[in-house]
């Protein structure tokens, strides 16, 4: 067990000489070693972190340190760190060394965070169970027979099993929130554009966002505050002002208005999850929160729209892995075309191939209007639903996932079943709004149950305040 609740407490312990950062880093390295069977990390930076612990501790003691001084952070292996491998858990990039550091990661390092390693994930962040990794699956720390969720399964497991303080994941359709729900930790997906995507390997560029996993709302707020902001290297990053988040989490007397949409409580939702969420709603009502029914009428189209648009974007983004410029190249080929074909056939896993084929199909001349253009229009309807709802309420409350963590292998032969596990999360990426998983309860099997909160674009402040209120007053 860690001797601190959040980063503020950790810093104070170090300042007061009650915690040695070197011991703390050794503790994490030891935990990683003892939990090797979880397969949460692709790479651990043993040597560097030991060196950094001493120098950061010195900075803390002298009072000249950054906001994240001594926070031990793991980074999903789709984000670049200069001179380190970035594999995206794919054979096609297994030897690829990054030329520069992703802006989001650089901002953490600039505030004296310690990056301990890179976490396992589904190949190119495509999946919901971490079973699509060339490095093998990750086990759920709560129950090793279950998946940790995906695609940021390693990042979620690493926080849940105390293999780091905080980790970074990416969320294109739920890959932070769903594994956070399955592993029982907080997982925050910011507004699209809040955090620069420079140095993030693109999956679906108009959906991808980077965010933290943590054991508490305070650390998530602090990390988001540091990572946010406009970046000249990402023209889609926003210059919308970043409010102070971390020191500003108390709601005070303010009672936010909460919206509930029946579309998120229908068929397919486990009874246990439904009951756990209803309990939270009852408690919120009893302390004076106004809870109102809202309509999100295009919800039934979210999965189809998401899989048309993201596969289209992925097929284009992944065209660059051709054996000529990046990573794996097939040997024994006699022509250029054969080299492209064999490198891609041998380098990509099945799910990635499936998505490239689907995406190529929906973008092909005869089908572009019927699928891609239509899905673009539906995306707008889904966004409008949220705009209308947020005219009435501040926060929308839903389940994060329809089930708790499922068994390894249970859904891997049925892609559609697997895709349905994102039924409550993809809408936030279609609309570009922020969302967070709050771990609220355990099922009768002892598996974590997650609640999702959603807010309007760039309203991470109210989102985090609401999550903090639930953490402090309701749970
Ligand atoms: N599970 C979803 C998918 O497979 C979401 C992935 C993600 O958010 N990166 O596409």
């Amino acid at each position: 067990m860690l001797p601190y609740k959040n980063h503020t407490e950790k810093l104070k312990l170090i300042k007061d000489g009650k915690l040695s950062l070197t011991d703390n880093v050794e503790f994490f390295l030891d935990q990683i070693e003892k939990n090797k069977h979880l397969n949460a990390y692709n790479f651990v930076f043993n040597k560097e972190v030991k060196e950094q612990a001493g120098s950061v501790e010195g900075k803390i003691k002298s009072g000249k340190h950054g906001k994240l001084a001594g926070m031990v952070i793991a980074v999903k292996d789709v984000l670049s760190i200069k001179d380190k491998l970035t594999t995206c858990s794919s054979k096609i990039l297994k030897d690829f060394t990054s030329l520069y550091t992703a802006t989001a990661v650089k901002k953490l390092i600039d505030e004296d965070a310690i990056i301990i390693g890179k976490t396992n994930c589904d190949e190119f962040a495509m999946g919901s169970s971490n079973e699509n990794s060339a490095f093998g699956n990750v086990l759920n720390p709560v129950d090793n027979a279950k998946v940790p969720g995906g695609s940021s399964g390693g990042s979620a497991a690493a926080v849940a099993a105390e293999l780091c303080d905080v980790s970074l994941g990416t969320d294109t359709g739920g890959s932070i929130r769903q594994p956070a729900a399955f592993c029982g930790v907080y997982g925050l997906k910011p507004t699209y554009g809040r955090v620069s995507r420079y140095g993030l390997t693109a999956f679906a560029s108009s959906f991808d966002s980077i965010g933290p996993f943590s054991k508490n709302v305070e650390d998530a707020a602090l990390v988001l505050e540091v990572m946010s902001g406009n970046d000249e290297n990402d023209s889609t990053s926003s210059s919308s002002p970043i409010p102070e988040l971390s020191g500003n989490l108390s709601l005070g007397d303010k009672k936010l208005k909460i919206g509930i949409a029946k579309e998120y409580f229908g068929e397919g939702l486990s009874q246990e999850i439904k009951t756990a969420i209803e309990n939270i709603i009852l408690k919120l009502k009893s302390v004076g929160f106004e809870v109102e029914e809202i309509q999100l009428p295009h919800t039934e189209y979210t999965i189809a729209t998401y899989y048309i648009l993201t596969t289209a974007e992925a097929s284009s983004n992944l065209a660059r892995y051709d054996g000529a410029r990046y990573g794996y190249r097939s040997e024994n080929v006699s022509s250029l075309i054969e080299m492209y074909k064999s490198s891609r056939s041998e380098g990509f896993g099945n799910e990635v191939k499936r998505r490239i084929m689907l995406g190529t199909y929906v973008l092909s001349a005869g089908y572009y209007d019927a699928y891609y253009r239509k899905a673009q229009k539906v995306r707008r309807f889904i966004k409008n639903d949220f705009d209308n709802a947020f005219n009435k309420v501040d926060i929308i409350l839903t389940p994060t996932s329809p089930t708790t963590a499922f068994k390894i292998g249970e859904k891997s032969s049925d892609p559609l079943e697997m895709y349905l596990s994102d039924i409550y999360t993809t809408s936030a990426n279609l609309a570009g709004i922020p969302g967070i998983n709050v771990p609220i309860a355990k099922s009768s099997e002892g598996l974590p149950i997650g609640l999702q909160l959603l807010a309007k674009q760039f309203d991470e402040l109210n989102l985090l305040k609401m999550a903090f209120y639930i953490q402090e007053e309701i749970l």
Side-chain angles (χ1 to χ4, degrees):
M1 264 288 273
L2 293 166
Y4 46 85
K5 225 178 65 204
N6 56 31
H7 187 63
T8 313
E9 280 192 24
K10 180 176 187 177
L11 254 183
K12 185 161 184 321
L13 288 179
I14 299 173
K15 267 186 194 153
D16 295 348
K18 292 187 182 140
L19 176 73
S20 139
L21 188 52
T22 304
D23 288 353
N24 177 250
V25 162
E26 293 280 359
F27 167 81
F28 284 126
L29 291 173
D30 198 45
Q31 281 283 101
I32 293 173
E33 199 48 45
K34 284 187 186 138
N35 288 281
K36 263 212 146 120
H37 62 285
L38 296 178
N39 202 21
Y41 280 85
N42 287 350
F43 310 106
V44 180
F45 308 145
N46 279 282
K47 206 167 135 254
E48 290 100 317
V49 290
K50 286 185 197 161
E51 284 162 17
Q52 284 162 18
S55 68
V56 173
E57 180 147 15
K59 282 190 181 182
I60 296 173
K61 292 267 166 67
S62 71
K64 289 191 194 106
H65 60 84
K67 278 183 169 180
L68 301 180
M71 185 186 266
V72 176
I73 302 183
V75 173
K76 185 179 182 180
D77 199 13
V78 292
L79 287 153
S80 296
I81 302 178
K82 190 173 176 349
D83 299 329
K84 299 284 184 209
L85 293 172
T86 297
T87 70
C88 300
S89 293
S90 178
K91 183 176 168 192
I92 214 158
L93 285 177
K94 73 180 194 343
D95 300 316
F96 178 75
T97 303
S98 306
L99 301 175
Y100 56 87
T101 299
T103 302
V105 179
K106 183 167 182 310
K107 287 188 169 203
L108 306 181
I109 297 172
D110 287 347
E111 292 293 338
D112 296 323
I114 295 179
I115 310 296
I116 192 165
K118 306 208 57 191
T119 48
N120 198 346
C121 56
D122 282 299
E123 184 178 5
F124 285 100
M126 297 175 190
S128 307
S129 64
N130 222 117
E131 290 167 294
N132 303 330
S133 165
F135 288 72
N137 25 301
V138 174
L139 310 186
N140 190 317
V142 183
D143 174 348
N144 291 178
K146 302 283 189 324
V147 302
S151 63
S152 316
S155 299
V159 169
E162 299 195 329
L163 315 182
C164 56
D165 287 317
V166 164
S167 63
L168 292 193
T170 60
D171 192 311
T172 303
S175 280
I176 293 177
R177 291 159 288 154
Q178 184 257 24
F182 280 15
C183 293
V185 296
Y186 290 85
L188 169 64
K189 173 230 174 288
T191 305
Y192 178 79
R194 186 55 114 178
V195 176
S196 164
R197 290 181 294 111
Y198 182 65
L200 162 63
T201 315
F203 160 12
S205 309
S206 75
F207 292 74
D208 297 340
S209 35
I210 303 169
F213 288 89
S214 63
K215 288 218 153 169
N216 56 76
V217 179
E218 305 88 291
D219 287 357
L222 185 59
V223 168
L224 179 67
E225 193 174 274
V226 168
M227 285 199 301
S228 296
N230 181 249
D231 176 10
E232 61 175 13
N233 290 318
D234 173 6
S235 61
T236 64
S237 66
S238 165
S239 38
S240 153
I242 307 149
E244 193 202 328
L245 301 169
S246 57
N248 201 9
L249 290 171
S250 162
L251 263 180
D253 291 334
K254 200 167 151 201
K255 289 276 186 280
L256 298 172
K257 228 186 196 182
I258 298 170
I260 308 285
K262 65 174 180 323
E263 292 87 351
Y264 282 70
F265 290 85
E267 210 190 319
L269 174 61
S270 116
Q271 188 55 47
E272 262 188 309
I273 297 182
K274 193 169 176 210
T275 309
I277 297 205
E278 282 167 355
N279 279 340
I280 300 281
I281 297 172
L282 278 179
K283 286 188 189 160
L284 287 170
K285 278 185 182 165
S286 73
V287 290
F289 282 87
E290 225 180 294
V291 179
E292 189 178 306
E293 180 143 340
I294 49 150
Q295 269 78 44
L296 295 169
H298 295 92
T299 301
E300 64 175 303
Y301 304 110
T302 53
I303 288 284
T305 310
Y306 170 81
Y307 276 97
I308 290 172
L309 296 176
T310 55
T311 56
E313 293 189 26
S315 72
S316 157
N317 276 325
L318 271 60
R320 74 191 72 182
Y321 307 105
D322 54 9
R325 286 167 295 182
Y326 293 96
Y328 177 78
R329 179 183 298 175
S330 179
E331 300 191 355
N332 307 322
V333 286
S334 54
S335 71
L336 182 64
I337 294 293
E338 213 184 298
M339 191 274 282
Y340 290 152
K341 276 192 188 163
S342 303
S343 300
R344 288 167 70 82
S345 301
E346 292 162 23
F348 286 135
N350 285 343
E351 182 60 27
V352 173
K353 285 181 192 163
R354 179 181 294 124
R355 303 222 185 176
I356 293 173
M357 286 189 277
L358 281 171
T360 306
Y361 179 80
V362 300
L363 287 175
S364 59
Y367 296 101
Y368 185 94
D369 284 335
Y371 292 105
Y372 183 73
R373 197 187 300 278
K374 193 181 269 174
Q376 290 280 42
K377 292 181 181 162
V378 179
R379 184 179 194 177
R380 165 59 64 175
F381 285 131
I382 292 167
K383 164 91 170 51
N384 290 349
D385 283 354
F386 280 105
D387 287 348
N388 292 336
F390 286 122
N391 280 334
K392 294 195 211 130
V393 299
D394 303 296
I395 295 287
I396 297 174
L397 189 155
T398 79
T400 304
S401 178
T403 66
T404 51
F406 44 88
K407 276 212 196 76
I408 294 171
E410 190 179 319
K411 299 191 184 199
S412 40
S413 56
D414 186 346
L416 189 59
E417 257 298 293
M418 188 73 89
Y419 295 172
L420 287 174
S421 116
D422 306 318
I423 192 149
Y424 304 136
T425 48
T426 52
S427 54
N429 306 74
L430 284 157
I433 60 176
I436 188 169
N437 175 68
V438 180
I440 53 161
K442 288 267 167 85
S443 71
S444 52
E445 262 190 290
L447 294 169
I449 293 178
L451 165 101
Q452 174 175 242
L453 301 174
L454 301 169
K456 63 170 173 283
Q457 283 188 335
F458 299 106
D459 196 12
E460 280 89 357
L461 184 57
N462 275 328
L463 184 75
L464 288 162
K465 281 185 171 187
M466 192 66 226
F468 185 67
Y469 186 89
I470 294 176
Q471 172 187 289
E472 295 296 304
E473 308 293 336
I474 302 288
L475 296 180

